[in-house]
Amino acid sequence: MNDSNDLLSALRAAVGAQQVLTHEDPATDLAAYEQDWRRRHRGRALAVVRPGNTAEVAAVVQACAAAGVAIVPQGGNTGLVVGSVPDASGQQVLLSLQRMNRVRALDAANLTLTVDAGCILQAAQQAAEAAGLLLPLSLAAEGSCTIGGNLASNAGGTQVLRYGNAREQCLGLEVVTPQGEVWDGLIGLRKDNTGYDLRDLYIGSEGTLGIITGATLKLQPQPAAKLTAWAALPSIEAAVELLGLAQRQLGAGLTGFEAMSRFSLSLVDKHYPQLRVPLWQDHPWCVLLENSDSESEAHARERFEALLEAALEQGCVSDAIVAESLGQAHNLWHIRESISLAQSEEGLNIKHDISLPVSAIARFCAETDAQLAAEIPGVRLVNFGHLGDGNLHYNVQAPEGGDPAAFLREQESRINHIVFDSVRRHGGSISAEHGIGSLKAETLPQYKHPVALALMRRIKAALDPQGLMNPGRVLIQEPR
Amino acid sequence: MNDSNDLLSALRAAVGAQQVLTHEDPATDLAAYEQDWRRRHRGRALAVVRPGNTAEVAAVVQACAAAGVAIVPQGGNTGLVVGSVPDASGQQVLLSLQRMNRVRALDAANLTLTVDAGCILQAAQQAAEAAGLLLPLSLAAEGSCTIGGNLASNAGGTQVLRYGNAREQCLGLEVVTPQGEVWDGLIGLRKDNTGYDLRDLYIGSEGTLGIITGATLKLQPQPAAKLTAWAALPSIEAAVELLGLAQRQLGAGLTGFEAMSRFSLSLVDKHYPQLRVPLWQDHPWCVLLENSDSESEAHARERFEALLEAALEQGCVSDAIVAESLGQAHNLWHIRESISLAQSEEGLNIKHDISLPVSAIARFCAETDAQLAAEIPGVRLVNFGHLGDGNLHYNVQAPEGGDPAAFLREQESRINHIVFDSVRRHGGSISAEHGIGSLKAETLPQYKHPVALALMRRIKAALDPQGLMNPGRVLIQEPR
């Protein structure tokens, strides 16, 4: 108890008393920090600490390291794998980056943007836009997620096909190490071969190797026009064929390729009829395509129409529309983004964020669909996702009329095994873009190559020998 | 001596006696393995070992680890920083990947190519081309460098602007660890967030953390047309302005942007007059641009001409030609690629492979040119490179008529300091694409952030505690 008080005093000295929130003050509600986004877990923090700059982050980490107290870093707390909330012990310090939300610099000639880690993604997008440039990281939570969280989890989203994950959009990092040192790696260089790639080691490490406090991101020129099309397809094989055709004909112009099964669209139609989902009833799959053009809208439309005509002729597309206005394009994207919500309206479900070689997608779906249907009669599959990246959200909904809570209790573990075993057989990954967090930390060793896992453990032990950075995430403790 | 003999026996058992070459056999010439590409260093190996597959590599590493003998991995031995030849001790094992040169698999629907690490870059390019696809890694040494070496050194080249370094073109790796375990990470996935990014840690680690034995690379659709233009410019500021304009107007179509100073072109003109360098005499800079188009040659030409007209109007281009034929385009690229050779014809020189934020290039050149001219009268600067990536080959040639060897002896260290200090002031890197090797290992600690250097040392010690993997490269031993 005295130890805790000493630490709290040190934290208050580091960031100011009003930026150290504890349960001792009954007026303070820490739910927003302690409850995870999907409401899978509610933890209890020793304290929520809100540093205002990098030096304060370093001071907080030093104080915790000296006290041997674990730190859970948190950005917008929108992660999907329970990676940024404290455990139930009441002994962990929650370090929120929210106050560090500044845009530090924009260099238009170098096409770079440097921000604090707590900068909201949307604010970073807007800073780029204000300079006539594009930050092409885009995901559903962009109004509340932070750049630091995006990088710690190597976020994906809808434009990975063209611009890559968060990793590919980052040139430099500022990091506070588990010892409380500051590594200033905020470079704005496309090429730098001066040693090990620490940047990419920190990106995707989910706060287990240190705390990202700032980042320099790549920007892109704004395309002259961006058009959206909606195509109905006879099968998922056809979707893979259309993807290849679109990549050949549009080249880098193809900036979005989202596939949606009929059942996933039927849920949007059922729960949000006002969205008027087009073409879904008579076709097993629909695909949303985006074409970004550096020339003109007329050119974008001409290229898009040529693609869709060729696809109709080949038979991989049965019907298609190109959005005539920004409003119509926005509505089509809104349908795509409403699938998760419609699924929640339908009831509890089991989410899988998997990736596969594009060439294995159709076979994976056929085999896994059949196996699930055989083993769990009536099971409903909500299959949609970033097909252009091989990334499916292969979600499983309870049979119609059943009790979803009981279904999850009884079937979740078995269904996960069926899906993940099939993913492995087809050369895929059990976490494409959401990460591991604590939700999948126990599953990971069953599917990760043992040598890779051993290398990860060595790196963790080398950089965080006290094991205080976001413990229990990504790597669970080895049995001693 | 007995220890060496035991090890040699173990190596012969691992790979077959005829794949273990030593100086004991007077008929065997090991120069090709022991001499570095730029002839800066000639080492002496205990043995040259040539495994034929990954299991044999693992067996060799295990034998060396058991004997406590260091290993120097080598691909095509075309590196520029003395990173792949043994030291002079006669105690290191040179592990050549040359026999592992197969293309393992090509997956056209997934746009991936899996190869042995010893596969020659050109052979990999040709395998892609035979399937109608593009492997867009391209560099001068492509006829002899290997994919493993490209990845170990994170090679750059002329298309980084559009497709990224070797790092961005690799999805998966197979690696033999310093303990002789095999990590099979040959995935063909665009998204995989299941733990630390070991792939990118090994890429660019120059053989100091283990041996890359195989890789899965990203392929691209072949563009429908590729055109080359040559523009003459009034200044390097104008080159930066042209780059911005080209990025806006051509978008991802801009696949090459190489700048060449008048003096660098004058050397090509002097030593290879048959190449007929265009437009160089009356303009301080020339730029080679490449436009890749997914539509047609006519469209590519129209867009290219529109760009150059706009640039002429803005004044950032003084004169320009668009190549009318493949032959003419090839000749223009040949001029660019002949600068290094022309420089060698002119005499010994000091090479700098630096990168800068694009926005800092003009200022860097003005300041550094002036400082060198003031401190070393008559010094000649051969300045050219991948301006689109901020990467300059800022090379320094002895004053005309002087003794180049004496110049290097007396001035190299001083000139390096002037250039690298200026690079640091402008936020740049002292090694953009060549790496560190042993050539820059002693310089690195002066310019690398100390926290980054400490993190690198921790990782090295964690993964290679015996210090046997390519010792003395990247990180020199810490004073004990």
Side-chain angles (χ1 to χ4, degrees):
Chain A
M1 199 54 179
N2 270 339
D3 286 357
S4 287
N5 283 336
D6 288 353
L7 174 60
L8 290 172
S9 301
L11 295 174
R12 289 187 183 108
V15 299
Q18 70 207 46
Q19 302 303 341
V20 179
L21 317 178
T22 70
H23 288 282
E24 283 168 26
D25 177 359
T28 303
D29 181 8
L30 300 183
Y33 300 100
E34 292 177 335
Q35 171 83 64
D36 87 292
W37 188 251
R38 283 179 65 203
R39 303 187 165 272
R40 284 284 187 123
H41 178 83
R42 169 78 192 255
R44 185 178 170 86
L46 173 66
V48 171
V49 183
R50 297 159 41 93
N53 57 50
T54 303
E56 289 184 7
V57 174
V60 168
V61 173
Q62 286 165 20
C64 289
V69 167
I71 298 177
V72 178
Q74 187 180 88
N77 195 20
T78 61
L80 298 174
V81 290
V82 194
S84 59
V85 292
D87 68 14
S89 68
Q91 296 301 313
Q92 298 184 321
V93 166
L94 190 295
L95 191 157
S96 167
L97 279 302
Q98 274 179 337
R99 285 179 62 227
M100 290 180 60
N101 59 3
R102 285 170 316 143
V103 170
R104 296 194 196 173
L106 188 145
D107 182 340
N110 195 42
L111 293 174
T112 49
L113 177 71
T114 301
V115 297
D116 281 350
C119 183
I120 302 287
L121 172 53
Q122 202 164 60
Q125 291 168 344
Q126 285 165 353
E129 214 179 310
L133 297 168
L134 175 71
L135 172 64
L137 185 64
S138 175
L139 43 136
E142 61 197 23
S144 37
C145 64
T146 63
I147 297 293
N150 296 150
L151 291 169
S153 62
N154 188 25
T158 55
Q159 298 184 78
V160 173
L161 182 60
R162 164 68 181 96
Y163 299 106
N165 293 296
R167 166 166 290 127
E168 281 82 30
Q169 300 187 42
C170 179
L171 293 174
L173 288 183
E174 180 186 79
V175 168
V176 172
T177 70
Q179 292 73 43
E181 302 160 306
V182 180
W183 165 43
D184 177 1
L186 284 177
I187 58 166
L189 303 173
R190 267 76 186 170
K191 286 180 167 178
D192 175 29
N193 279 350
T194 56
Y196 303 157
D197 184 7
L198 301 171
R199 177 191 68 203
D200 287 317
L201 183 61
Y202 275 100
I203 294 174
S205 67
E206 303 189 26
T208 64
L209 300 177
I211 299 171
I212 296 172
T213 53
T216 298
L217 304 170
K218 269 189 224 171
L219 301 178
Q220 307 283 340
Q222 282 280 5
K226 209 154 81 171
L227 289 184
T228 301
W230 182 280
L233 289 81
S235 65
I236 192 154
E237 286 84 354
V240 172
E241 191 183 332
L242 176 61
L243 174 65
L245 196 63
Q247 287 174 322
R248 281 192 298 279
Q249 293 205 6
L250 302 181
L254 184 68
T255 48
F257 195 96
E258 301 285 314
M260 298 152 286
S261 72
R262 179 159 43 195
F263 181 65
S264 62
L265 290 174
S266 79
L267 294 181
V268 178
D269 182 71
K270 176 176 169 187
H271 297 285
Y272 309 113
Q274 72 279 15
L275 292 183
R276 301 179 170 275
V277 182
L279 305 180
W280 67 275
Q281 274 154 311
D282 302 324
H283 306 280
W285 286 83
C286 287
V287 167
L288 191 61
L289 299 97
E290 189 180 75
N291 179 22
S292 298
D293 196 290
S294 53
E295 186 172 341
S296 67
E297 185 173 327
H299 183 254
R301 193 169 296 276
E302 176 200 309
R303 297 298 294 156
F304 229 174
E305 286 169 358
L307 166 69
L308 293 168
E309 270 167 41
L312 281 160
E313 205 160 297
Q314 279 192 24
C316 61
V317 163
S318 312
D319 201 352
I321 48 175
V322 178
E324 293 293 331
S325 67
L326 278 179
Q328 203 186 343
H330 184 263
N331 188 54
L332 294 174
W333 276 101
H334 191 45
I335 293 168
R336 160 67 184 84
E337 280 153 13
S338 299
I339 296 175
S340 285
L341 290 170
Q343 219 189 325
S344 300
E345 296 282 347
E346 186 72 6
L348 286 170
N349 57 78
I350 304 167
K351 293 194 194 302
H352 301 109
D353 163 46
I354 59 174
S355 64
L356 296 153
V358 170
S359 51
I361 287 177
R363 223 170 344 117
F364 166 85
C365 289
E367 284 181 31
T368 319
D369 291 8
Q371 197 184 347
L372 286 170
E375 300 205 15
I376 304 158
V379 77
R380 298 178 298 167
L381 298 174
V382 182
N383 193 354
F384 65 101
H386 318 298
L387 190 84
D389 318 313
N391 180 188
L392 295 180
H393 298 306
Y394 188 85
N395 299 345
V396 181
Q397 201 100 24
E400 195 149 17
D403 171 3
F407 175 75
L408 250 70
R409 234 177 7 252
E410 290 158 20
Q411 303 286 5
E412 181 162 13
S413 161
R414 187 169 156 220
I415 288 173
N416 287 347
H417 267 289
I418 292 172
V419 173
F420 292 159
D421 286 357
S422 184
V423 164
R424 171 163 50 194
R425 281 197 306 277
H426 290 91
S429 165
I430 65 163
S431 185
E433 57 177 12
H434 294 171
I436 299 300
S438 41
L439 197 67
K440 292 184 188 161
E442 288 188 27
T443 307
L444 185 65
Q446 301 163 47
Y447 295 96
K448 191 83 180 175
H449 194 280
V451 174
L453 210 57
L455 289 167
M456 284 166 56
R457 287 191 193 285
R458 281 172 181 244
I459 291 167
K460 169 75 173 172
L463 300 193
D464 180 23
Q466 289 184 278
L468 297 180
M469 300 307 306
N470 215 7
R473 272 66 198 249
V474 185
L475 292 170
I476 46 174
Q477 293 295 323
E478 262 185 328
R480 298 193 187 221
Chain B
M1 199 52 180
N2 270 337
D3 286 357
S4 287
N5 283 336
D6 288 352
L7 174 59
L8 290 173
S9 300
L11 296 173
R12 289 187 183 109
V15 300
Q18 71 206 47
Q19 302 304 342
V20 178
L21 316 178
T22 69
H23 288 282
E24 283 167 26
D25 177 359
T28 302
D29 181 8
L30 299 183
Y33 300 99
E34 294 176 335
Q35 172 82 63
D36 87 292
W37 189 252
R38 281 179 65 203
R39 304 187 165 271
R40 284 283 187 126
H41 178 83
R42 169 78 192 256
R44 185 178 170 87
L46 173 67
V48 171
V49 183
R50 299 160 39 94
N53 57 50
T54 303
E56 288 185 7
V57 174
V60 168
V61 173
Q62 285 165 19
C64 289
V69 166
I71 297 178
V72 177
Q74 186 180 90
N77 195 20
T78 61
L80 298 174
V81 290
V82 194
S84 60
V85 292
D87 69 13
S89 69
Q91 296 301 312
Q92 298 183 323
V93 166
L94 190 293
L95 192 156
S96 168
L97 280 301
Q98 274 179 338
R99 285 179 62 226
M100 291 180 60
N101 59 3
R102 284 170 316 145
V103 170
R104 295 194 196 173
L106 188 143
D107 182 341
N110 195 43
L111 293 174
T112 48
L113 177 72
T114 300
V115 297
D116 282 349
C119 183
I120 302 287
L121 172 53
Q122 202 164 61
Q125 291 167 343
Q126 285 165 353
E129 214 178 309
L133 297 169
L134 175 70
L135 173 64
L137 184 64
S138 175
L139 42 134
E142 62 197 23
S144 37
C145 64
T146 63
I147 297 293
N150 296 151
L151 291 169
S153 62
N154 187 28
T158 55
Q159 298 184 79
V160 173
L161 181 60
R162 164 69 182 95
Y163 300 106
N165 293 296
R167 165 166 290 126
E168 281 82 28
Q169 300 186 43
C170 179
L171 294 174
L173 288 182
E174 181 186 79
V175 168
V176 173
T177 70
Q179 292 73 42
E181 301 159 308
V182 179
W183 165 42
D184 177 1
L186 284 177
I187 58 167
L189 304 173
R190 265 76 185 170
K191 284 180 168 178
D192 176 29
N193 279 351
T194 57
Y196 305 156
D197 183 6
L198 301 171
R199 176 191 68 204
D200 288 317
L201 183 61
Y202 275 100
I203 294 174
S205 67
E206 304 188 24
T208 63
L209 300 177
I211 299 171
I212 295 171
T213 53
T216 298
L217 304 171
K218 270 189 223 170
L219 301 178
Q220 307 283 340
Q222 282 279 5
K226 207 153 81 171
L227 289 183
T228 301
W230 183 280
L233 289 82
S235 64
I236 192 154
E237 286 85 353
V240 172
E241 190 184 334
L242 176 62
L243 174 65
L245 195 64
Q247 286 173 322
R248 281 193 298 279
Q249 293 205 6
L250 303 179
L254 184 68
T255 48
F257 195 97
E258 302 285 313
M260 299 152 285
S261 71
R262 178 159 45 194
F263 182 64
S264 62
L265 290 174
S266 78
L267 293 181
V268 179
D269 181 71
K270 175 175 169 187
H271 296 285
Y272 308 113
Q274 72 278 16
L275 292 183
R276 300 179 170 276
V277 182
L279 304 179
W280 68 276
Q281 273 155 311
D282 303 323
H283 307 280
W285 285 85
C286 287
V287 167
L288 190 62
L289 299 98
E290 189 181 75
N291 179 21
S292 298
D293 196 289
S294 53
E295 188 171 339
S296 67
E297 185 173 328
H299 184 253
R301 194 169 294 278
E302 178 198 309
R303 298 296 296 155
F304 229 175
E305 285 170 358
L307 166 69
L308 293 169
E309 269 166 40
L312 281 160
E313 205 160 297
Q314 280 193 23
C316 60
V317 164
S318 312
D319 201 352
I321 48 176
V322 178
E324 293 293 331
S325 67
L326 278 179
Q328 203 185 346
H330 184 263
N331 188 53
L332 293 174
W333 277 102
H334 191 45
I335 292 167
R336 159 66 184 84
E337 282 154 11
S338 300
I339 296 175
S340 285
L341 290 170
Q343 217 190 326
S344 299
E345 296 281 348
E346 186 71 6
L348 287 172
N349 56 79
I350 305 167
K351 292 195 195 300
H352 301 108
D353 163 46
I354 60 174
S355 65
L356 296 153
V358 170
S359 52
I361 287 177
R363 224 172 341 118
F364 167 85
C365 289
E367 283 181 32
T368 320
D369 291 7
Q371 196 183 347
L372 286 170
E375 299 205 15
I376 304 157
V379 77
R380 298 178 298 167
L381 298 174
V382 182
N383 193 354
F384 65 101
H386 318 299
L387 190 84
D389 317 313
N391 181 189
L392 295 179
H393 298 306
Y394 189 85
N395 299 344
V396 181
Q397 200 100 26
E400 195 150 16
D403 171 3
F407 175 75
L408 250 70
R409 233 175 10 251
E410 290 158 21
Q411 303 286 4
E412 180 162 13
S413 160
R414 187 168 157 220
I415 288 173
N416 286 347
H417 268 288
I418 291 172
V419 172
F420 291 159
D421 287 356
S422 184
V423 164
R424 171 161 52 194
R425 280 197 307 277
H426 291 89
S429 164
I430 65 162
S431 184
E433 59 176 11
H434 295 172
I436 299 299
S438 42
L439 197 67
K440 291 183 188 163
E442 289 189 27
T443 307
L444 185 65
Q446 301 163 47
Y447 295 96
K448 191 83 179 173
H449 194 279
V451 174
L453 209 58
L455 289 166
M456 284 167 53
R457 287 190 193 285
R458 280 174 181 243
I459 291 167
K460 169 75 173 173
L463 300 192
D464 180 23
Q466 288 183 279
L468 297 180
M469 300 306 305
N470 215 7
R473 271 67 199 246
V474 185
L475 292 170
I476 44 174
Q477 294 294 323
E478 263 185 327
R480 303 198 182 214

